[in-house]
Amino acid sequence: LFNQVRPDFAIFGEKDWQQLAILRQLNRDLDFGIEIIGAPIRRDGDGLALSSRNAYLSVDERAKAVALPEALKQAATAIQGGADVDQSLDAARAALAAVGFDPIDYITLVDAQSLEPMKKLDREGRLLAAARMGKTRLIDNVPVLPA
């Protein structure tokens, strides 16, 4: 599509961080010269990332779904404060399981650019998560910055 359209810039939402990172790398690798802009995640007042998928949540599931961004923020804060990455991710998984997320597809800390898994916070990272609440698969992510 980039080859056909040849845009000067393209805007992609940060909600699907993996897609954004891959498109940025594709742009560099193929020297498209496109300015790839990440649009910040839009969130509801309670913090849940806005998504058309949210309409599939029941009222009860919607109330519980806010645990996803909360767990990610708590894990990010812990990791930025020097906590062990694996323990922080385990705590986030436990928090999600406790409110009914099942299955939890992944919660992981990755390098913000390469998407390589990180065991310690020595560069800009991103916490990525995907989990099901009822029949609805939700995704979210938060930045994790070294001190």
Side-chain angles (χ1 to χ4, degrees):
L1 181 61
F2 286 161
N3 245 354
Q4 296 296 317
V5 177
R6 299 199 183 267
D8 294 321
F9 64 91
I11 302 169
F12 293 91
E14 290 181 355
K15 183 165 170 272
D16 190 339
W17 188 265
Q18 293 101 315
Q19 173 184 270
L20 178 60
I22 289 167
L23 287 168
R24 285 177 170 156
Q25 187 63 50
L26 176 82
N27 182 49
R28 286 189 295 272
D29 289 349
L30 299 179
D31 197 25
F32 284 134
I34 301 167
E35 180 183 0
I36 304 292
I37 301 166
I41 298 171
R42 296 196 51 212
R43 296 186 180 277
D44 211 340
D46 61 6
L48 186 65
L50 295 181
S51 171
S52 59
R53 294 178 186 186
N54 295 353
Y56 299 118
L57 296 168
S58 70
V59 171
D60 183 53
E61 290 169 341
R62 174 62 185 78
K64 293 176 181 177
V66 73
L68 182 58
E70 289 173 358
L72 289 177
K73 283 186 227 171
Q74 288 175 358
T77 299
I79 293 167
Q80 288 174 163
D84 180 78
V85 170
D86 287 334
Q87 288 178 357
S88 300
L89 298 178
D90 286 345
R93 286 183 198 97
L96 295 182
V99 297
F101 276 95
D102 184 38
I104 299 167
D105 295 333
Y106 58 85
I107 297 178
T108 188
L109 177 66
V110 299
D111 179 286
Q113 290 186 9
S114 71
L115 302 179
E116 290 292 322
M118 296 171 62
K119 291 293 184 186
K120 64 179 184 171
L121 186 62
D122 56 2
R123 59 198 178 279
E124 183 180 350
R126 205 81 183 189
L127 271 177
L128 307 174
R132 287 191 185 274
M133 175 57 70
K135 295 181 180 180
T136 307
R137 185 172 189 262
L138 300 176
I139 64 171
D140 205 343
N141 69 84
V142 296
V144 188
L145 305 173

